[in-house]
Amino acid sequence: MQYVGGKQKSGGAQIAQAINALIKALGLQTYSEPFCGGLSVTQRIVAPERRVSDACTALICLYQRMQWGWVPPQALSKDEWLRLKTANDPTDPLTAFAGFGLSLFGSWFGSYAPLSTRNHKCISSALAAAESLTNKLAKCRGVQFSSGDYQALGIGDLIYCDPPYEGTLQYPAVGAFDSAAFWQWARAKSRTSLLAVSERHAPEDFIPLQTFSLQSRIATGAKNWRTEYLYVHESQLGVWLGTPEEWDSALEREEAA
């Protein structure tokens, strides 16, 4: 299913690889992701416990209902799409299915898009979204889904964040996002948990661990290439690069303080 800012084609596999390597090397138990979006990273994570959330209540409702056995439709008319847009019921799994899966570029109820392209062929957007969601949720068995503000998520050993990017179009399904407040939170959480952030820009004390170049569509309003990064706090760079003893020392200093 299309999702604005999703990592399916912009580093999701590489990001998950780095996270999984660290989880395995350090024997971490709990993975947290407070901006799970389209699940492009979540579905690839291997951890004893995965806790993920999103501020979009309708999206989490869709995921939870599919975990409980709800099956998305393979067809959805424009009239039904318009009805769902007007009703805007976050407790109906069809709301997020239509709002993202049958909207142009995955932009929340932006424009009805009955067709999607797969392998250079046009197919029903509903069918494409249904198949994509079914495949992703099959890889998310046991994931604990919740909705709400990122600061309310139960934090685990390692946190991966893919927040709305500063300076880009905001997410209509959620509303305005305070990037400055987020970085303050990320800095504080980096003292007690391993944390990585996907963004285009970051404060000076966050260091790029990975770099991704991709073609922009609606996020910046122009079809040009842009660069995204996976950032970690400077105090954690050593452990992400493969020297976990530095993280142990940092935790000892934090506990002593």
Side-chain angles (χ1 to χ4, degrees):
M1 184 176 74
Q2 295 188 94
Y3 191 85
V4 175
K7 291 293 179 287
Q8 190 67 23
K9 297 181 179 179
S10 58
Q14 296 95 316
I15 291 168
Q17 184 178 32
I19 291 172
N20 285 333
L22 204 52
I23 289 174
K24 183 177 181 180
L26 299 182
L28 304 179
Q29 296 297 304
T30 306
Y31 168 80
S32 300
E33 188 178 337
F35 305 89
C36 68
L39 304 178
S40 295
V41 174
T42 307
Q43 65 174 326
R44 295 179 167 97
I45 297 300
V46 179
E49 187 174 346
R50 290 178 288 175
R51 306 173 186 167
V52 308
S53 71
D54 199 276
C56 182
T57 303
L59 183 66
I60 296 300
C61 170
L62 172 62
Y63 294 156
Q64 289 177 330
R65 291 288 293 276
M66 288 192 68
Q67 279 187 322
W68 303 338
W70 184 79
V71 178
Q74 296 186 1
L76 193 75
S77 69
K78 185 174 183 179
D79 286 344
E80 181 68 358
W81 184 86
L82 289 170
R83 183 194 69 78
L84 291 163
K85 179 179 181 179
T86 300
N88 195 23
D89 181 3
T91 66
D92 182 354
L94 272 176
T95 300
F97 180 77
F100 293 115
L102 279 89
S103 298
L104 190 63
F105 299 137
S107 180
W108 179 255
F109 283 113
S111 298
Y112 177 66
L115 297 176
S116 180
T117 302
R118 185 172 64 188
N119 298 326
H120 306 291
K121 295 181 179 179
C122 286
I123 65 170
S124 160
S125 290
L127 176 60
E131 290 181 347
S132 174
L133 283 166
T134 299
N135 290 335
K136 287 180 179 180
L137 269 295
K139 300 172 185 175
C140 292
R141 291 189 178 95
V143 170
Q144 300 175 36
F145 288 106
S146 62
S147 61
D149 185 83
Y150 65 91
Q151 300 182 61
L153 175 66
I155 297 304
D157 302 318
L158 190 149
I159 311 163
Y160 167 65
C161 300
D162 185 17
Y165 288 1
E166 185 174 9
T168 61
L169 298 175
Q170 296 298 307
Y171 290 71
V174 176
F177 184 75
D178 189 336
S179 293
F182 165 76
W183 285 112
Q184 289 279 30
W185 174 87
R187 188 174 291 109
K189 290 302 176 186
S190 294
R191 297 171 185 160
T192 55
S193 297
L194 291 165
L195 182 142
V197 181
S198 288
E199 241 287 15
R200 296 173 61 198
H201 310 284
E204 291 184 355
D205 53 335
F206 284 83
I207 311 299
L209 185 71
Q210 295 180 343
T211 304
F212 308 97
S213 293
L214 58 151
Q215 193 171 33
S216 172
R217 292 196 296 183
I218 66 170
T220 59
K223 293 185 178 181
N224 57 346
W225 288 87
R226 71 177 188 270
T227 302
E228 296 182 0
Y229 303 92
L230 182 68
Y231 290 100
V232 298
H233 192 262
E234 58 186 4
S235 64
Q236 297 185 4
L237 186 59
V239 66
W240 282 95
L241 292 177
T243 54
E245 62 273 7
E246 292 192 19
W247 175 241
D248 293 336
S249 298
L251 284 179
E252 289 174 2
R253 292 194 298 271
E254 181 68 23
E255 291 171 356

